Amino acid sequence: MSRDPQGFEVRPAEGETAGATASFPYDHMTVERFRGAFPRARWRDDLKAWFVPGARAVKRLDRWLGRELSSVLTYADERGRDAFQFEPIESRYLLAGEDIEVRTPYSRTVIEELRQVPWAAWDEALKVWRVPYRSWHELRQHWPAIEEAAERNEPEARRKRQEERRGTAEHEEAKARANERRRQRYPVPADDLPPSDRIVMTAYGAVHFTDVTGEVADGDVLQHFYPGVGAGMGTLVWGFWSKPSHAELVAAWPAHWPPSERELARGWWVPTLEELREERRKARSSERARATRIGAGTG
């Protein structure tokens, strides 16, 4: 196994007759160069890595990393560092050193914005995002949204918003919807129940139905919280669900084709590959955030 300090990793493939896997932070131009050098490479979604067949794949990948990437990345980092020094960002959420460290309160918006910055990577040990200088220009484009979201998620700002919303119609509606979601129930047609042995998509995203009791869903609740779900499908009953883990989502098989109009109207359907990928990303982010909160002693 070889690992580049910038996040490139080459491993002998496990379970394959001959070959190796390569993983690296996503960047469009890097992928293009990689596909040009290894036209037989294919993406392995289960490994989150590229598989390159051949008995000499490890040596070929190592040579490519050394020859094609080292000088390119070094030069790009130098240019980015010069640009940063010429026009730096002054922010309490950013620290410039060997690379750029971004440390903010937890925010889904911040995560979404940083995921769009090439080479940005989460440092689990230090609980910061690391951005190499080669991505300086992209980071600068996303920085206004990142800083705004970070300030919005400071504890004091969140408490202030909660106080301002308390007692308003919007606040009461949000509380009601949160309480309904905590029931972890969902209306399903009595004569077309979801399977209990696989993950399906719903208005709540990917779920695993754990039980269907046969209790008829109340019409007022349906109209208020689930408008349109199961319309015209006859009697609706409550199904109880749980959210699948990232590992369960990785193991789930996608549908061979998009859901039909009837399946969408029914309220549940087998997820497509694109939907599974998005759900896996969300689950990975949630599990990472949960681990961070536990590590910080906040629950």
Side-chain angles (χ1 to χ4, degrees):
M1 182 189 76
S2 60
R3 185 177 183 86
D4 183 273
Q6 299 296 336
F8 294 87
E9 187 172 15
V10 175
R11 291 177 177 269
E14 298 179 2
E16 300 284 352
T17 54
T21 59
S23 59
F24 46 85
Y26 177 78
D27 174 75
H28 176 71
M29 294 304 297
T30 304
V31 171
E32 289 297 318
R33 291 196 300 271
F34 177 82
R35 293 301 301 274
F38 301 96
R40 295 175 60 200
R42 68 178 187 271
W43 175 252
R44 287 281 299 272
D45 198 56
D46 56 331
L47 300 176
K48 301 300 180 187
W50 291 92
F51 171 72
V52 178
R56 301 180 66 249
V58 172
K59 290 184 178 180
R60 292 174 59 213
L61 284 166
D62 282 339
R63 282 201 302 269
W64 180 78
L65 289 178
R67 183 179 64 251
E68 298 294 333
L69 296 179
S70 181
S71 60
V72 172
L73 299 183
T74 299
Y75 177 66
D77 280 332
E78 290 175 352
R79 290 185 59 188
R81 187 177 286 105
D82 290 342
F84 178 84
Q85 292 176 349
F86 178 75
E87 194 177 7
I89 289 178
E90 300 293 340
S91 173
R92 57 175 168 163
Y93 302 116
L94 184 149
L95 178 64
E98 290 298 314
D99 53 16
I100 301 170
E101 294 182 8
V102 178
R103 188 192 302 270
T104 71
Y106 176 76
S107 164
R108 289 185 181 275
T109 300
V110 169
I111 293 173
E112 293 296 332
E113 293 291 333
L114 284 168
R115 287 188 185 280
Q116 298 179 58
V117 177
W119 310 98
W122 173 252
D123 187 325
E124 181 65 31
L126 296 180
K127 309 300 181 187
V128 299
W129 282 86
R130 293 192 174 279
V131 182
Y133 284 99
R134 73 184 76 109
S135 299
W136 161 241
H137 291 292
E138 291 86 352
L139 178 63
R140 188 171 186 84
Q141 292 173 5
H142 291 273
W143 191 255
I146 291 172
E147 188 161 48
E148 179 184 353
E151 292 174 346
R152 191 169 60 247
N153 282 274
E154 288 287 353
E156 185 58 34
R158 295 177 64 179
R159 283 194 294 270
K160 183 178 179 180
R161 288 198 305 275
Q162 290 173 356
E163 290 298 327
E164 291 174 347
R165 288 198 303 264
R166 196 177 304 278
T168 64
E170 177 187 2
H171 180 250
E172 295 304 317
E173 175 65 16
K175 278 176 54 179
R177 291 193 174 278
N179 288 336
E180 175 61 25
R181 187 182 178 93
R182 277 194 287 270
R183 293 175 180 267
Q184 292 189 264
R185 63 181 184 177
Y186 191 81
V188 293
D191 58 355
D192 198 353
L193 301 177
S196 61
D197 59 349
R198 70 180 304 176
I199 293 168
V200 298
M201 287 294 293
T202 69
Y204 284 156
V207 303
H208 172 222
F209 279 95
T210 58
D211 188 25
V212 179
T213 64
E215 177 189 357
V216 176
D218 180 83
D220 291 338
V221 175
L222 293 176
Q223 184 176 2
H224 190 88
F225 297 110
Y226 307 96
V229 174
M233 297 289 175
T235 302
L236 300 181
V237 297
W238 289 120
F240 292 87
W241 54 266
S242 65
K243 292 296 288 184
S245 67
H246 177 259
E248 290 172 324
L249 288 163
V250 169
W253 285 90
H256 296 296
W257 46 78
S260 65
E261 290 185 7
R262 183 186 183 281
E263 289 172 322
L264 292 174
R266 179 179 61 187
W268 66 265
W269 62 94
V270 178
T272 63
L273 179 58
E274 290 72 21
E275 288 172 326
L276 271 178
R277 285 173 173 165
E278 177 64 12
E279 291 295 315
R280 290 166 185 167
R281 185 192 62 76
K282 291 179 180 177
R284 185 169 57 247
S285 178
S286 295
E287 290 174 11
R288 182 182 295 160
R290 189 179 306 115
T292 299
R293 291 194 297 269
I294 291 173
T298 58

